Amino acid sequence: MSVLVYIENTEGILKKSAFEAASYGKEIAGLLNTEAIAIAIGDVSASELQKLGNYGIAKVLHVNKDNLKNFVNQAYAALVAAAAKQENAEIVVLSNTFSGKGLAPRIAAKLNAGLVAGATAVPSFDGHTLKVTKTAFSNKAIATVSLDAPVKVLSINPNAFSAKEAPTTATIVDFTADLTEADFGTLVKDIVRATDKIALPEAEIVVSAGRGLKGPENWAMVEDLAEVLGAATACSKPVSDAGWRPHAEHVGQTGIVVSPNLYIAIGISGAIQHLAGVSSSKTIVVINKDPEAPFFKVADYGIVGDAFEVVPKLIEALKNHKGI
Ligand code: FAD
């Protein structure tokens, strides 16, 4: 028996969410008194994979083939399922990211497993029945799900579980499995990155702005604040609908769901559809000139004031604090 963790990389660099998944898998393995094994696919160096040892992973299966350099949903799912069978995995852990969302159900179907997508905490066990909490109804509720299938697949929300150091030495083992033509039915031919800035779903800090900013010409202060904080930028739906910002920045029920440690909302009213995508943020700071804005009800800190006065002062104070 083991716990198998699928480890994502971007162009050979392991993602922050991958270390979180590794730690999450290690924690579950500890509860089951077994080991956590990782599987990574793609062109990742041994030294990069060995970083998983810092999080208690002693064995890393590595698949490195030219036709698997880019994410191929069916083929990756087949490989993870084959690895789970080889390692007799009772639990398969993934990150609930863009690729994790595609992979988890496929892996569960191949393994005839129970699936919880979007877990928020370490599960509890009653024998081999597992209980795990997950976000539900666009983050408006938390569900507790019981799984008693012999094999379980769990995907953990990014930022829901912090990576914990548990140093050991990771051994890298080459892994392969038989793949069919059908596994390559859908191919990613090219990846064009919209931006080289911090990826929104992974960001620890998000600076987001809404219609209160009046127009796209006023976004420089949002970008300045994001830069000084090392944050990703986001926006409300009407802002991206109006073309003030790219659609990739739209957060909410119909956009990206984020759960950063800090979410700063500037000139956003806090409509329920917006909150659906941001309410699992650990700390929410709201800047709005209307003291009755609904966003203040869910804010940890609120500043009632004009964004055009507050934000430049905030940037100046942060720059002074950082000595830049
Ligand atoms: P507004 O509601 O216009 O609010 C602007 C805010 O800025 C106000 O609170 C105002 O007090 C404040 N303000 C104005 N001037 C200043 C100033 N100078 N300084 C400080 N504050 C100022 N929305 C999303 O964001 N994401 C979604 O995914 C989403 N999905 C939706 C799905 C459906 C089916 C529907 C019907 C709607 C959806 N919406 C979504 C839209 C949502 O209902 C709201 O209309 C939208 O979130 C409002 O955007 P906003 O807060 O930027 O603008």
Side-chain angles (χ1 to χ4, degrees):
M1 188 176 70
S2 68
V3 173
L4 182 73
V5 186
Y6 169 65
I7 297 296
E8 282 181 43
N9 73 86
T10 306
E11 291 169 358
I13 304 298
L14 301 189
K15 292 170 80 168
K16 175 176 160 274
S17 56
F19 293 117
E20 292 169 0
S23 268
Y24 184 70
K26 173 71 183 163
E27 187 100 357
I28 295 172
L31 294 175
L32 293 172
N33 219 2
T34 185
E35 60 173 339
I37 297 165
I39 175 165
I41 305 170
D43 191 6
V44 191
S45 69
S47 60
E48 188 66 16
L49 292 173
Q50 267 147 3
K51 289 181 185 166
L52 291 166
N54 296 336
Y55 302 94
I57 304 289
K59 181 173 164 186
V60 182
L61 306 177
H62 184 207
V63 189
N64 189 8
K65 289 193 170 164
D66 276 353
N67 58 352
L68 294 167
K69 254 186 187 166
N70 287 339
F71 178 65
V72 192
N73 212 327
Q74 295 97 324
Y76 276 39
L79 286 162
V80 177
K85 284 183 185 156
Q86 175 186 293
E87 300 298 332
N88 196 18
E90 185 177 336
I91 306 212
V92 178
V93 168
L94 301 95
S95 306
N96 192 30
T97 53
F98 175 77
S99 3
K101 282 175 187 160
L103 282 176
R106 284 194 160 86
I107 295 167
K110 284 178 189 296
L111 296 173
N112 208 10
L115 165 69
V116 172
T120 52
V122 174
S124 60
F125 287 89
D126 179 7
H128 284 271
T129 300
L130 165 160
K131 276 192 178 165
V132 63
T133 54
K134 62 160 280 172
T135 46
F137 300 114
S138 303
N139 281 345
K140 288 198 257 319
I142 297 282
T144 304
V145 184
S146 278
L147 291 182
D148 52 15
V151 180
K152 292 116 179 145
V153 175
L154 304 179
S155 66
I156 175 82
N157 280 341
N159 287 330
F161 185 85
S162 303
K164 291 182 188 163
E165 295 211 2
T168 186
T169 305
T171 306
I172 320 298
V173 182
D174 283 338
F175 177 77
T176 191
D178 289 339
L179 296 172
T180 65
E181 211 174 296
D183 290 324
F184 292 90
T186 312
L187 286 181
V188 176
K189 294 211 159 170
D190 195 14
I191 297 174
V192 182
R193 299 211 177 275
T195 166
D196 56 2
K197 290 184 192 159
I198 298 161
L200 187 51
E202 293 255 310
E204 291 202 32
I205 305 178
V206 174
V207 176
S208 188
R211 216 153 36 180
L213 258 69
K214 319 284 185 233
E217 65 280 6
N218 295 323
W219 244 261
M221 66 178 184
V222 177
E223 290 184 331
D224 284 353
L225 181 58
E227 194 178 327
V228 84
L229 288 169
T233 47
C235 67
S236 64
K237 182 174 183 292
V239 162
S240 62
D241 285 350
W244 297 359
R245 298 297 292 176
H247 275 290
E249 287 195 2
H250 153 203
V251 291
Q253 185 180 320
T254 46
I256 291 175
V257 175
V258 293
S259 50
N261 290 328
L262 175 61
Y263 184 81
I264 303 179
I266 307 166
I268 303 177
S269 56
I272 194 153
Q273 297 89 355
H274 186 85
L275 298 183
V278 308
S279 57
S280 60
S281 306
K282 295 212 173 68
T283 303
I284 296 178
V285 176
V286 171
I287 302 168
N288 197 305
K289 69 175 185 185
D290 175 7
E292 301 299 322
F295 223 144
F296 283 122
K297 291 202 177 100
V298 297
D300 297 283
Y301 300 94
I303 301 171
V304 179
D306 187 330
F308 296 97
E309 289 171 20
V310 174
V311 175
K313 282 187 185 156
L314 197 55
I315 295 168
E316 196 187 319
L318 284 163
K319 282 187 172 167
N320 285 340
H321 177 69
K322 293 193 166 190
I324 49 178

